[in-house]
Amino acid sequence: MRTRSRRIARWPLAPLACGLLLLSGCADFDGTPTAQDWKPAPELTPQAGPQPELPGADGSTPGSRGPSTPPTSVPPPQGCKDFDEAVIGTCMDTVAAVTALPGGQNPAALAGERKSGRVFQVSAGAEKQQYAELAVDATGGGGLTGLTLSPSFAEDQLVFAYVTTPSDNRVVRFAKGQEPKPVLTGIPRGASGNQGSLTTDGNGALLVATGNAGNPAAAADPNSLAGKVLRIDTSGQPAQGNPNPSSAVLASGLTAPGGLCKSPDGSRLWVTDRAADKDLLYRVTAGQPLTSPAWTWPDKPGVAGCVDGTSLIMVATSTAGNVQNLPVAADGSISGKPSATLDGENGRTYGRLAGMEQISAELAVAGTVNKDGGQPVSSDDRVVLIVIQPSAAIPGKD
């Protein structure tokens, strides 16, 4: 499938307020459509997703009638200097986790290196600064794989992380420059299936996706924390309103989750997963097992972080190195096949992508993992900005 190009309206970086979108939500994500009930209508055309064309990226200047040169005119990076204005952080290693920072004149984020456990603060037009360093064991696909800000970050300045240690996977919390403190420990670890993901639910709770530690039976075991979507409070206890008040488990059945994301109104929660034979996107229903995916990818592109842009779901991929964009109908069902963007077809690619998070209604941030089996350029690994476009406003693919 080929993308018909469309210019996205430019926005200036300087006036853009970068706020973490604290979205309202609840633990009851009912009304999930099942994959077997949905069949695409023959007349549907898949919707194209976002393609970040930031100021200067197309060779034009503000106020011009059109690009003077194509997007490929952006010069290649020179060392750690990247001339692409979508890039806000460079020269890191396997940025598997990102989380947006609130406030400020320029978009900013925290970026976590999977293998080293280092966390950097990055922003447009500024040098990266080390924010913290967490002790991690990166074997078995683990390490530092999830980051999210505290639900009350403005008051407590705390950040939560999903990390692998030599003995377990766990959720920890830390402040800038401080040693991390354990929040939820004892999540099983194994030879594989150690990666996890974090987000918040908008009601003061943390959502945690855990891998099955290489043991599919653990994912189905209600007494195991492996292979689950968990909902906990900031002290690591089961959050109020869970299906089972004494359990942190919201849903079960994961293998190797790549990302969690929720809709802007908080009514939908999604988790990406990598099974042995396919990649999957699930819509989470509280108290129900993850058995009916909303979409599957038999070609296994390596689904990772995701963003719910209301009318489309964006899924970053760490093997295919693109963004998979799935159109979403008004009832929350997937309404067409995914289309790939940031795949180089229109002169733009960043290679392998991992963690992704929404900054605002128009903007997301993602990290690259090109140093983990990809083809890194001199400025990798990077943190990049991606424009979110409503799917209805973008022409489809033929």
Side-chain angles (χ1 to χ4, degrees):
M1 296 187 293
R2 301 189 63 83
T3 304
R4 294 196 296 267
S5 61
R6 180 183 186 273
R7 294 188 58 219
I8 297 173
R10 300 181 186 84
W11 44 269
L13 283 176
L16 181 64
C18 170
L20 177 67
L21 198 56
L22 298 177
L23 306 171
S24 60
C26 59
D28 186 6
F29 299 99
D30 290 333
T32 303
T34 60
Q36 59 265 33
D37 293 336
W38 173 83
K39 294 182 180 178
E43 68 273 15
L44 276 175
T45 55
Q47 302 299 314
Q51 200 78 337
E53 293 188 17
L54 304 175
D58 60 359
S60 63
T61 57
S64 66
R65 294 183 179 272
S68 57
T69 52
T72 51
S73 65
V74 177
Q78 295 180 1
C80 291
K81 182 175 178 57
D82 201 299
F83 298 96
D84 189 331
E85 293 196 32
V87 176
I88 63 171
T90 65
C91 286
M92 289 170 279
D93 185 15
T94 57
V95 182
V98 294
T99 188
L101 286 171
Q105 289 293 312
N106 293 322
L110 297 180
E113 295 181 331
R114 181 179 73 83
K115 297 177 182 178
S116 73
R118 293 183 299 178
V119 180
F120 291 96
Q121 181 173 337
V122 298
S123 62
E127 293 293 325
K128 68 179 183 290
Q129 297 181 351
Q130 186 162 319
Y131 195 90
E133 185 168 0
L134 314 179
V136 301
D137 182 342
T139 59
L144 170 53
T145 58
L147 284 173
T148 193
L149 300 187
S150 165
S152 52
F153 179 78
E155 291 78 31
D156 58 31
Q157 297 293 294
L158 291 175
V159 182
F160 290 81
Y162 192 90
V163 299
T164 307
T165 76
S167 60
D168 68 356
N169 291 292
R170 59 177 58 187
V171 178
V172 300
R173 70 171 187 262
F174 61 94
K176 184 176 183 179
Q178 296 184 4
E179 290 293 318
K181 293 180 171 53
V183 174
L184 178 64
T185 62
I187 302 169
R189 66 153 296 164
S192 62
N194 295 302
Q195 57 264 57
S197 183
L198 295 173
T199 191
T200 56
D201 75 345
N203 286 331
L206 299 174
L207 298 170
V208 187
T210 70
N212 68 5
N215 180 10
D221 182 354
N223 297 314
S224 173
L225 295 177
K228 305 295 193 296
V229 177
L230 309 175
R231 185 171 177 267
I232 59 174
D233 62 24
T234 54
S235 63
Q237 298 301 309
Q240 186 174 2
N242 280 2
N244 180 347
S246 63
S247 172
V249 176
L250 195 67
S252 58
L254 294 174
T255 300
L260 283 163
C261 57
K262 59 186 179 298
S263 60
D265 64 2
S267 65
R268 301 191 301 249
L269 175 65
W270 308 87
V271 61
T272 65
D273 193 25
R274 305 179 198 178
D277 58 342
K278 56 184 172 292
D279 287 356
L280 313 99
L281 173 70
Y282 290 105
R283 185 173 170 188
V284 179
T285 300
Q288 299 297 315
L290 300 168
T291 55
S292 299
W295 195 264
T296 63
W297 289 265
D299 57 339
K300 294 179 62 63
V303 294
C306 60
V307 164
D308 185 328
T310 302
S311 59
L312 85 165
I313 305 294
M314 301 164 53
V315 179
T317 66
S318 61
T319 301
N322 58 31
V323 174
Q324 297 280 312
N325 305 279
L326 294 115
V328 180
D331 64 358
S333 61
I334 303 300
S335 60
K337 295 180 180 180
S339 59
T341 50
L342 297 184
D343 55 359
E345 186 174 325
N346 289 324
R348 191 68 68 101
T349 182
Y350 299 105
R352 300 184 176 212
L353 299 166
M356 184 162 61
E357 186 175 88
Q358 192 164 359
I359 293 179
S360 68
E362 298 84 21
L363 199 64
V365 62
T368 74
V369 287
N370 291 314
K371 290 181 179 178
D372 192 7
Q375 296 179 332
V377 298
S378 67
S379 58
D380 275 324
D381 273 308
R382 297 172 283 176
V383 177
V384 301
L385 301 174
I386 300 174
V387 173
I388 301 171
Q389 287 285 320
S391 64
I394 301 175
K397 286 190 173 185
D398 295 326

